[in-house]
């Protein structure tokens, strides 16, 4: 008997990344018959942990730093830690800027310890940091954190309400200031300024972009609140997958979408390139704007003004060049760690930057289409040894396998332009070309690591911006957040007023990816809010309560 190519669901979700899975988990628990369609072989999107070099070496090949785990409602709602037993590590040293002379300037999870680190250079900077940390912890607790997990209000509406609060008035005062302006106003020592610029602009804020100053306090606070998933980022994806399956949801991989069928302004179904038809009155897209509306819905089904708005969407001005190293050595011993061994277990290292001028030279290089000098490094196994498996034979020479007792992994990463000014474009880079870039990155790392030598790196894989785009088709031009953080693409305007509250001009078609509010990285926000919008519109009782952080903020009179 032939298998039917026609299937009926209450909700079909396009994209099985963290946001698509999150929406699926909430809706499946709400009793909807849910189906998640994923183009790749594996669910999870950027929540990847792969053995890309050798068996036994796990590399988090996309998302590794989790900025909002302490606020995201899904952690408690979906019992991620309790039922699904996912553990999050909270490293003591969050970011460590390494000097060529063996020095280090650090951000710790305890702001008092950061102030001590800054105090070596300037007592004034130490005092300023503590004052700002206290203030922005309050802003985060009362507004920035909770507002991440509610539907955004119109720009003028929320501005009018916040104007009545001292916090709101202060926020508006800094909105038109650039990150660089603020850092240079707050701190006096060049090393402190350089570290804070790296920390605040780590996720793509342009240090000289005005109009987004309100985000600087958010990134200031998050710069010492990163978590890492124990045993690999994919553990979080697996938890969401298990939750959907437990509540009778369907997950299908290797599903290439052909079209989103719309009739008389109402979504009807999703059709795949293989001819499968998934009927549903609700479709949630967790992929980017262009694919969703221009490719799968079609311009003829949409208002012309909306189409033009979608076409104006700006992709990010940089992407990532990454090298994933499998190393025959114990966890790294940093030269800076000779006096303070705790520095050997930082989450993020900054290499090649010791001043504001170094950082701005790096940004200029990106703007000029060149690879700049600043590099970020992480050594996951120093914090989480199970990310390598012991006792697995590794072929270290052709035809020769042996068990390596010393094993560690390393991530080296640079912000780079998608369009290179000189030489060949990224999509023309051969394996040899990429390996040459990787070797250059490794040599830079050797300048700071005492116990690694060239023979210890037994294999590495390099990923370019083109590889990011090729792996994840919704990350156009290597845009890991599905679009630039720009004043006209944030808040109620992300991605546009028609879609910012996770609906769209097509009835029954919802948006829930990183291109929607609140944005990209593992916020666990867009997928949560997409599920919220669906239940609201269908009149389905939300089985989850108001997020605890939102309830507390509202009790204080914050206009959420």
């Amino acid at each position: 008997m032939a298998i039917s190519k026609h299937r009926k669901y209450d909700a079909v979700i396009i994209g099985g990344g963290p946001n698509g899975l999150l929406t699926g988990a909430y809706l499946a628990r709400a009793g909807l018959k849910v189906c998640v369609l994923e183009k790749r072989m594996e669910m999870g999107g950027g929540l990847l942990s792969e053995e890309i070099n050798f068996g036994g070496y796990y590399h988090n090949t996309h998302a590794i730093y989790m900025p909002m785990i302490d606020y995201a409602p899904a952690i408690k709602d979906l019992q991620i830690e309790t039922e699904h037993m996912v553990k999050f590590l909270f490293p003591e040293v969050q970011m460590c800027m390494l000097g060529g002379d063996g020095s280090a300037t650090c951000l710790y999870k305890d702001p008092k310890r950061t102030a001590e680190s800054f105090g070596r250079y300037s007592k004034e900077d130490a005092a300023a940091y503590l004052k700002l940390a206290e203030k922005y912890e309050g802003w985060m607790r009362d507004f920035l954190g909770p507002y991440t997990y509610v539907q955004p209000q119109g720009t003028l509406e929320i501005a009018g309400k916040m104007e009545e609060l001292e916090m709101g008035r202060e926020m508006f005062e800094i909105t038109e200031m650039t990150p660089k302006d603020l850092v240079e106003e707050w701190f006096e020592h060049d090393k402190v300024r350089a570290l804070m610029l790296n920390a605040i602009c780590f996720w793509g804020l342009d240090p000289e972009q005005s109009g987004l100053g309100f985000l600087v306090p958010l990134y200031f606070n998050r710069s010492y609140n990163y978590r890492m998933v124990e045993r690999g980022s994919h553990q979080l994806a697996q938890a969401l997958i298990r939750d959907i399956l437990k509540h009778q949801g369907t997950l299908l991989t290797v599903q290439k979408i052909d079209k989103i069928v719309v009739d008389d302004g109402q979504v009807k179904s999703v059709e795949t390139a293989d001819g499968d038809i998934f009927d549903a009155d609700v479709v949630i897209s967790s992929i980017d704007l262009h694919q969703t509306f221009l490719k799968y819905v079609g311009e003829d089904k949409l208002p012309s003004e909306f189409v033009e708005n979608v076409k104006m969407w700006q992709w990010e001005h940089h992407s990532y060049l990454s090298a994933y190293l499998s190393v025959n050595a114990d966890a790294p011993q940093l030269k800076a760690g000779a006096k303070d061994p705790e520095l050997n277990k930082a989450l993020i290292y900054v290499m090649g930057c010791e001043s504001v001028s170094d950082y701005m030279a790096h940004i200029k290089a990106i703007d000029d289409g060149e690879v700049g000098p600043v590099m970020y490094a992480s050594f996951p196994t120093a914090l989480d040894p199970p990310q390598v498996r012991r006792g697995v034979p590794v072929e270290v020479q052709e035809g020769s396998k042996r068990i390596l007792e010393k094993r560690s992994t390393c991530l080296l990463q640079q912000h780079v332009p998608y369009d290179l000014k000189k030489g060949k474009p990224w999509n023309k880079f051969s394996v040899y070309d990429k390996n040459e870039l990787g070797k250059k990155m490794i040599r830079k790392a050797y300048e700071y690591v005492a116990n690694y030598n060239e023979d210890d790196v037994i294999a590495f894989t390099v990923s370019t911006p083109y590889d990011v785009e090729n792996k994840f088709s919704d990350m156009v031009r290597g845009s890991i957040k599905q679009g630039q953080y720009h004043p006209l693409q944030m808040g109620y305007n992300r991605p546009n007023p028609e879609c910012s509250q996770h609906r769209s001009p097509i009835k029954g078609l919802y948006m829930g990816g990183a291109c929607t509010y609140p944005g990209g990285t593992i916020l666990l926000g867009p997928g949560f809010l997409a599920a919220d919008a669906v239940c609201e519109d269908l009149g389905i009782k939300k089985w989850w309560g108001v997020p605890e952080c939102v309830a507390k903020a509202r009790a204080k009179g914050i206009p959420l």
Side-chain angles (χ1 to χ4, degrees):
M1 184 175 68
I3 299 175
S4 172
K5 285 183 169 289
H6 216 105
R7 309 176 194 183
K8 173 68 177 175
Y9 291 92
D10 296 324
V12 172
I13 299 165
I14 300 174
N19 283 307
L21 291 174
L22 191 63
T23 302
Y26 271 89
L27 294 183
R29 283 191 177 219
L32 274 67
K33 185 180 179 183
V34 170
C35 180
V36 182
L37 304 176
E38 168 56 39
K39 180 180 181 180
R40 301 181 72 245
M41 180 67 75
E42 181 75 24
M43 291 279 174
L47 289 170
L48 287 171
S49 302
E50 302 178 287
E51 297 172 285
I52 55 173
N53 293 329
F54 291 115
Y57 286 84
Y58 295 101
H59 296 272
N60 301 297
T61 52
H62 195 75
I64 180 171
Y65 315 117
M66 309 288 153
M68 291 291 284
I69 294 301
D70 50 331
Y71 277 89
I75 302 302
K76 183 177 180 181
D77 289 347
L78 302 178
Q79 300 165 291
I80 298 296
E81 293 177 294
T82 53
E83 181 178 331
H84 294 292
M85 300 178 68
V86 176
K87 296 181 180 179
F88 298 97
L89 304 174
F90 191 10
E92 187 67 35
V93 186
Q94 291 274 296
M95 182 175 280
C96 180
M97 188 176 76
L98 299 170
D101 59 358
S103 62
T105 311
C106 300
L107 293 175
Y108 295 85
K109 70 179 184 181
D110 180 354
K112 292 180 181 178
R113 296 196 63 192
T114 300
E116 291 174 6
S117 178
F118 288 4
R120 301 198 314 269
Y121 305 114
S122 164
K123 292 182 179 179
E124 288 75 14
D125 285 354
Y129 182 84
L130 279 178
K131 184 176 180 180
L132 289 166
E134 182 178 8
K135 174 190 283 190
Y136 294 148
E137 178 64 35
W139 286 23
M140 188 71 196
R141 181 183 61 247
D142 293 343
F143 179 72
L144 295 171
Y147 195 57
T148 304
Y149 300 103
V150 295
Q151 300 292 353
Q153 300 174 42
T155 304
L156 294 179
E157 179 184 0
I158 190 64
K161 294 176 181 178
M162 290 299 290
E163 185 69 35
E164 299 178 7
L165 303 175
E166 181 180 354
M167 172 178 60
R169 292 191 292 272
E170 288 188 43
M171 205 173 289
F172 295 139
E173 287 176 6
I174 66 172
T175 291
E176 292 305 316
M177 296 183 71
T178 71
K180 184 172 180 286
D181 289 339
L182 288 167
V183 167
E184 291 183 337
E185 178 180 292
W186 292 336
F187 303 109
E188 62 180 19
H189 197 279
D190 204 27
K191 283 185 179 291
V192 173
R193 288 175 169 179
L195 175 59
M196 293 309 300
L197 267 179
N198 274 283
I200 289 168
C201 298
F202 188 69
W203 293 111
L205 278 189
D206 184 335
E208 296 187 297
Q209 171 72 64
S210 62
L212 292 176
F214 64 91
L215 286 178
V216 173
L218 171 69
Y219 286 123
F220 182 105
N221 178 269
R222 294 296 89 190
S223 69
Y224 57 89
N225 279 291
Y226 290 117
R227 271 64 166 179
M228 186 175 87
V229 184
E230 186 177 80
R231 298 177 185 268
S233 299
H234 195 59
Q235 298 293 330
L236 180 54
Q238 290 284 10
L240 296 173
I241 290 167
R242 288 193 298 271
D243 209 82
I244 292 173
L245 294 175
K246 180 179 178 179
H247 295 90
Q248 290 73 56
T250 299
L251 301 166
L252 298 176
T253 58
V254 198
Q255 300 293 315
K256 186 178 180 181
I257 307 302
D258 181 59
K259 67 177 73 171
I260 298 172
V261 177
V262 175
D263 183 29
D264 196 25
Q266 165 73 51
V267 73
K268 293 296 182 181
S269 63
V270 175
E271 295 186 12
T272 70
D274 291 334
D276 291 318
I277 300 172
F278 299 85
D279 290 331
D281 292 330
V282 169
V283 172
I284 304 101
S285 173
S286 66
I287 60 176
D288 65 282
L289 277 177
H290 281 201
Q291 286 192 93
T292 301
F293 294 109
L294 305 183
K295 185 176 181 180
Y296 297 141
V297 171
E299 295 183 29
D300 60 319
K301 302 290 186 180
L302 296 160
S304 58
E305 185 176 344
F306 178 80
V307 170
E308 291 307 309
N309 195 321
V310 171
K311 289 181 177 179
M312 290 172 62
W313 184 250
Q314 296 183 41
W315 307 107
E316 295 176 62
H317 64 276
H318 76 247
S319 185
Y320 288 95
L321 175 66
S322 307
Y324 305 96
L325 282 57
S326 298
V327 186
N328 179 23
D330 290 323
Q333 302 296 310
L334 279 296
K335 293 177 181 178
K339 294 181 180 179
D340 184 0
E342 187 179 32
L343 300 185
N344 294 322
K345 293 189 175 184
L347 179 59
I348 305 167
Y349 294 95
V350 183
M351 300 175 175
C353 182
E354 299 186 49
S355 65
V356 172
S357 61
D358 286 344
Y359 184 75
M360 296 310 298
H362 181 73
I363 297 300
K364 185 178 186 303
I366 295 173
D367 292 341
D368 291 344
E370 300 172 354
V371 178
V374 179
M375 184 171 77
Y376 301 100
S378 184
F379 302 91
T381 45
L383 299 162
D384 187 21
Q387 291 198 32
V388 293
R389 286 187 290 130
R390 306 289 173 178
V392 178
V394 171
E395 185 171 347
V396 292
Q397 294 179 344
E398 188 173 352
S400 174
K401 289 187 177 182
R402 61 190 177 93
I403 294 176
L404 303 178
E405 295 302 326
K406 297 179 179 180
R407 291 186 171 212
S408 58
T409 62
C410 172
L411 164 64
L412 304 176
Q413 203 161 56
Q414 290 184 274
H415 296 157
V416 296
Y418 184 84
D419 294 314
L420 292 172
K421 184 177 181 180
K422 298 178 181 178
K424 63 186 74 175
W426 290 117
N427 65 341
K428 298 297 182 182
F429 270 58
S430 65
V431 172
Y432 174 83
D433 294 329
K434 291 195 287 186
N435 285 348
E436 288 303 300
L437 287 175
K439 290 175 183 177
K440 185 176 180 180
M441 297 168 79
I442 292 168
R443 286 194 293 271
K444 180 182 282 289
Y446 288 154
E447 297 174 17
Y448 302 94
V449 182
N451 67 324
Y452 279 13
N453 61 59
E454 201 160 336
D455 295 333
D456 289 332
V457 179
I458 55 176
F460 64 90
T461 298
V462 174
S463 170
T464 70
Y466 175 73
D467 295 319
V468 173
E469 179 181 49
N470 193 41
K471 195 172 192 174
F472 302 107
S473 57
D474 58 332
M475 298 183 187
V476 179
R477 295 177 59 81
S479 294
I480 66 162
K481 302 187 295 295
Q482 292 184 354
Q484 186 181 346
Y485 278 9
H486 181 277
L488 298 180
Q489 294 187 176
M490 294 300 291
Y492 192 72
N493 292 317
R494 190 167 185 89
N496 51 53
E498 291 89 345
C499 299
S500 67
Q501 293 193 329
H502 303 88
R503 284 89 170 174
S504 82
I506 303 296
K507 186 178 180 182
L509 177 58
Y510 295 80
M511 295 294 291
C515 65
T516 63
Y517 179 86
T521 73
I522 308 299
L523 303 179
L524 302 179
F528 169 77
L529 292 173
D532 174 86
V534 170
C535 289
E536 189 76 27
D537 291 352
L538 297 184
I540 295 172
K541 183 179 179 180
K542 300 173 190 176
W543 57 265
W544 64 95
V546 175
E548 185 177 351
C549 61
V550 174
K552 288 181 178 180
R554 286 174 175 167
K556 292 182 177 182
I558 305 298
L560 300 177

